[in-house]
Amino acid sequence: MSAILYLEGGGDCKALHARCREGFRRLLERSGFQGRMPRLVACGGREATFGDFAFAHNGRIAAFVGMWIDSEDVLADLEATWAHLKNRDGWDQPPGAADEQVLFMTTCMETWLVTDRSALREHFGAQLQESALPPLNDLEKRGCHDVQDKLVHATRNCSNAYAKGKRSFEVFGKLTPAVLEQHLPSFGRVRRILNNYL
């Protein structure tokens, strides 16, 4: 079954698009999807991701067309993705599109990154200030700016201090699915949906 996922991330730079695809590919492989990978398309910004998704969905270019984006805000209902996007972004649900076609990182990619402390230690080294990271309970109830600021602060003394783009995708590809699933309902949902369609 052919599947394509449109990814939020990578900015407007081809090199970052490649790093974005690579980070997501590695996480999917670590999640058990090796041998049944979807096509991954890094779209850059949020609006571009939605536009590319809507075009592909309307053109029925694959058996499953998905969009993998940050929720940006805390979700009232993890399964009511289009209602969230209509309320937050003003996006209309394309005709025939299902809630399962929207895969959320709640509230942002950095929420997923701060969940896996072992991956952070491996990537950032001994200068990582773990005590500055947000606690693991109710991570998906934290605003994206709060999580991002705490991650930047926790890595400020590291030689490779956190920055969106290259470093975010490097860490993303090192995350451990079992750790994510333990703490993040949004990751469990992504894995369940992709298991159904890939």
Side-chain angles (χ1 to χ4, degrees), residues 57-74:
H57 168 77
N58 292 333
R60 308 276 191 260
I61 67 166
F64 179 75
V65 177
M67 173 173 62
W68 201 343
I69 60 176
D70 294 341
S71 70
E72 295 288 344
D73 293 334
V74 175

Side-chain angles (χ1 to χ4, degrees), residues 23-24 27 105 109 112-113 168-175:
F24 277 86
L27 179 60
M105 290 176 283
M109 173 191 271
W112 288 24
L113 299 182
S168 57
F169 299 127
E170 285 175 356
V171 181
F172 197 75
K174 296 176 180 178
L175 299 176

Side-chain angles (χ1 to χ4, degrees), residues 19-192:
R19 290 179 189 279
C20 176
R21 288 191 306 272
E22 177 69 5
F24 277 86
R25 182 188 65 75
R26 287 186 177 184
L27 179 60
L28 286 172
E29 287 177 348
R30 292 169 70 96
S31 299
F33 295 105
Q34 197 160 11
R36 52 186 178 133
M37 294 289 287
R39 181 174 162 223
L40 301 174
V41 180
C43 302
R46 191 175 181 78
E47 292 289 335
T49 307
F50 174 62
D52 289 350
F53 163 81
F55 183 81
H57 168 77
N58 292 333
R60 308 276 191 260
I61 67 166
F64 179 75
V65 177
M67 173 173 62
W68 201 343
I69 60 176
D70 294 341
S71 70
E72 295 288 344
D73 293 334
V74 175
L75 294 168
D77 179 352
L78 181 57
E79 300 298 334
T81 57
W82 286 110
H84 176 81
L85 292 172
K86 178 65 174 176
N87 183 54
R88 190 200 176 276
D89 298 277
W91 294 351
D92 291 320
Q93 182 174 353
D99 282 316
E100 286 191 335
Q101 288 174 266
V102 180
L103 308 176
F104 275 138
M105 290 176 283
T106 309
T107 53
C108 57
M109 173 191 271
E110 286 81 5
T111 307
W112 288 24
L113 299 182
V114 301
T115 301
D116 191 340
R117 305 298 160 92
S118 294
L120 291 180
R121 282 193 300 272
E122 175 194 333
H123 187 79
F124 292 105
Q127 297 303 312
L128 173 70
Q129 185 187 344
E130 279 192 64
S131 61
L133 295 168
L136 289 171
N137 59 310
D138 293 328
L139 268 175
E140 294 189 340
K141 301 292 186 198
R142 294 180 167 274
C144 59
H145 296 296
D146 175 47
V147 174
Q148 291 165 352
D149 290 348
K150 283 182 166 53
L151 180 56
V152 168
H153 185 71
T155 63
R156 70 194 182 286
N157 296 323
C158 303
S159 60
N160 56 346
Y162 181 76
K164 268 197 159 316
K166 175 185 174 187
R167 295 208 172 111
S168 57
F169 299 127
E170 285 175 356
V171 181
F172 197 75
K174 296 176 180 178
L175 299 176
T176 303
V179 173
L180 299 182
E181 195 141 17
Q182 180 182 353
H183 298 285
L184 303 172
S186 63
F187 177 78
R189 179 179 180 270
V190 167
R191 207 172 188 183
R192 170 175 53 80

